[in-house]
Amino acid sequence: MSAQIATQILIPRWIIPVLPRQTVYTDHALVIKNERIIALTPKADALAAYPQAQLIHLPDHALMPGLINLHAHSAMTLLRGFADDLPLMRWLQEHIWPAEGAHVSDEFVFDGTRLAIAEMIAGGTTCCNDMYFHHSAVARAALDTHFRMTVGCSILEFPTPYASNADDYIGKALKSRDEFLGENLIQFTLAPHAPYTVSNHTFERIITLADQLDLGIHCHIHETADEIASSLKEFGVRPLERLAALGLLDSPLVAAHMVHTTDAEIALLAKKGMHIAHNPASNLKLASGLARVHDQLKAGINVGIGTDGAASNNKLDMWAELRLAALLAKGQSGNPEAIPAWQALEMATLNGALALGLQDQIGSLEVGKQADLCAVDLSASGTQPCYDPVSHLVYAVDRTQVSDVWIAGRHVYRQHEHQSLNLAEIHSITRHWQAKIQTV
């Protein structure tokens, strides 16, 4: 059971709740009791109703939902900058997979995930949809730092030091999931790596298990043109058509990337209620292509935003991603009205929550929801003057302007200082890993 937290009244200059859409409140306060938001009301009413509450004044700040990173490989922060400027398959086969084979362990994943969480919290991210190995280590790192994590349990056909085959990956995934049942901040998904690393039989088993255990599925799909060409050669169809025939699109599925989509595929994704995790920086860095995000959103597909791993980005900066998502959509579509600022902010918050099945808990500032929030100081020269705080949050803000973060009501980042982790210790451990990895 979570420890009791004093009732807090947060008094910012602006409150941006995300829902109702395109709404900005001034002269309002947000009240938190324990894990939840209990009031969003005019400031005078909040002060009168809760006279004993702790007051937190945020005079130049926009208060908004915490950002939701819809696709990441958190532990790969320890491989940040290890291999750059390469196409996806060379990057994986010649550098990342060999390095992982030599170093990835329970300790590596725990330490790398804590480093990722330190970076994400300081940038206003309060929830991450992860995909990696050593699933229990990911969950422990999140609980250790009081961070909300969806733990994606990677599943492949080939052996790694973590598991020998698909059955072994699945068995370890289910064991880890059972270990953390009932934890408020933790949920699990099955994460088949990609169509080119997972067989039809394994996909069918994952679909059955997801249905039986009410689990989501998280998978890289249509990331590169080569992936599609290889599928056409091996299976005679594009990956999405193959997965649709297997029934994967009838499951709660977060498809990471979806860079290459035809009109027919966009219509199918919309019909099936699919969720897409758009990763603009990683797609650009690996030259994977430009996703048709504006068309996907227009079709009614729920599109959230992710950073991908720090080894291919090279940072877990959701502010950079949402700005890039908005700008790329305008350039790719030729429409300056594509993804306006309010919609980009929605993609980075509520859309991510919807994709994870957490829309009733997080993603907007509504009474009854978990108090996952961040405060952004707009007093800096780069965000002055401020005619529209939503515009600044998307087009002008730097992540260093995040001053305060709450997760499930706990003030985990206060006036630019971490409260739930020891940053010096994490950095010291990171230097240990760097020395170990670069000597191989």
Side-chain angles (χ1 to χ4, degrees), residues 13-297:
R13 182 170 178 184
W14 302 278
I15 295 179
I16 299 163
V18 175
L19 285 179
R21 274 184 160 181
Q22 302 185 64
T23 297
V24 177
Y25 294 116
T26 56
D27 295 314
H28 275 60
L30 186 110
V31 186
I32 303 170
K33 184 175 182 180
N34 296 325
E35 298 174 353
R36 299 192 178 272
I37 298 167
I38 62 169
L40 199 174
T41 188
K43 178 172 65 175
D45 294 346
L47 294 172
Y50 305 97
Q52 304 303 315
Q54 176 190 4
L55 299 183
I56 299 174
H57 293 278
L58 302 160
D60 298 302
H61 299 65
L63 184 68
M64 56 170 282
L67 300 168
I68 297 173
N69 187 343
L70 195 54
H71 177 65
H73 312 286
S74 297
M76 293 182 78
T77 49
L78 292 180
L79 296 173
R80 191 196 316 265
F82 177 73
D84 284 321
D85 306 322
L86 295 167
L88 175 64
M89 294 316 297
R90 278 188 59 202
W91 178 77
L92 284 172
Q93 293 172 350
E94 298 177 17
H95 299 276
I96 297 302
W97 284 345
E100 288 179 326
H103 296 289
V104 171
S105 62
D106 191 88
E107 182 183 19
F108 176 101
V109 173
F110 180 79
D111 292 340
T113 302
R114 286 207 306 161
L115 176 63
I117 290 169
E119 180 181 0
M120 286 192 281
I121 287 177
T125 296
T126 55
C127 176
C128 178
N129 185 35
D130 199 58
M131 179 195 287
Y132 211 59
F133 309 107
H134 295 273
H135 325 121
S136 294
V138 176
R140 292 199 316 273
L143 291 175
D144 183 67
T145 52
H146 198 75
F147 184 78
R148 193 178 302 278
M149 184 73 80
T150 295
V151 182
C153 301
S154 289
I155 299 167
L156 307 99
E157 299 295 338
F158 55 83
T160 65
Y162 182 61
S164 57
N165 54 36
D167 287 343
D168 195 15
Y169 288 105
I170 290 171
K172 289 182 175 179
L174 298 180
K175 183 179 178 181
S176 294
R177 177 249 185 192
D178 291 345
E179 182 183 353
F180 294 93
L181 279 175
E183 289 286 356
N184 176 45
L185 294 176
I186 305 294
Q187 67 175 8
F188 280 76
T189 64
L190 298 175
H193 171 260
Y196 56 88
T197 54
V198 178
S199 70
N200 286 355
H201 172 74
T202 298
F203 271 122
E204 288 168 344
R205 186 172 176 207
I206 288 167
I207 292 164
T208 299
L209 286 170
D211 182 59
Q212 290 174 344
L213 301 174
D214 193 26
L215 291 171
I217 299 174
H218 181 191
C219 183
H220 302 92
I221 304 174
H222 283 217
E223 184 174 0
T224 66
D226 285 347
E227 173 192 336
I228 293 169
S230 296
S231 180
L232 286 167
K233 183 177 180 180
E234 182 176 358
F235 298 100
V237 295
R238 290 162 66 90
L240 197 66
E241 184 177 347
R242 173 188 161 215
L243 299 178
L246 293 171
L248 189 70
L249 275 59
D250 297 308
S251 299
L253 174 63
V254 175
H257 299 289
M258 292 304 302
V259 174
H260 302 278
T261 50
T262 65
D263 288 346
E265 287 167 341
I266 289 173
L268 177 63
L269 295 170
K271 179 181 177 181
K272 294 291 188 179
M274 285 262 300
H275 308 283
I276 294 175
H278 177 42
N279 304 272
S282 176
N283 292 343
L284 288 174
K285 188 165 185 285
L286 294 170
S288 298
L290 300 178
R292 296 173 59 190
V293 175
H294 180 53
D295 291 334
Q296 292 165 355
L297 288 165

Side-chain angles (χ1 to χ4, degrees), residues 56 184 231 239 286 312 322 349 356 366 368 393 429 434 436:
I56 299 174
N184 176 45
S231 180
L286 294 170
S312 65
L322 69 93
T349 54
L356 298 177
E366 298 179 81
L393 289 170
I429 291 169
Q434 179 184 355
K436 189 174 181 180

Side-chain angles (χ1 to χ4, degrees), residues 8 20 45 56 63 111 159 182 201 266 327 346 358 400 423 438:
Q8 304 166 74
D45 294 346
I56 299 174
L63 184 68
D111 292 340
H201 172 74
I266 289 173
L327 297 181
E346 194 172 274
L358 295 173
T400 61
L423 200 58
Q438 69 185 9

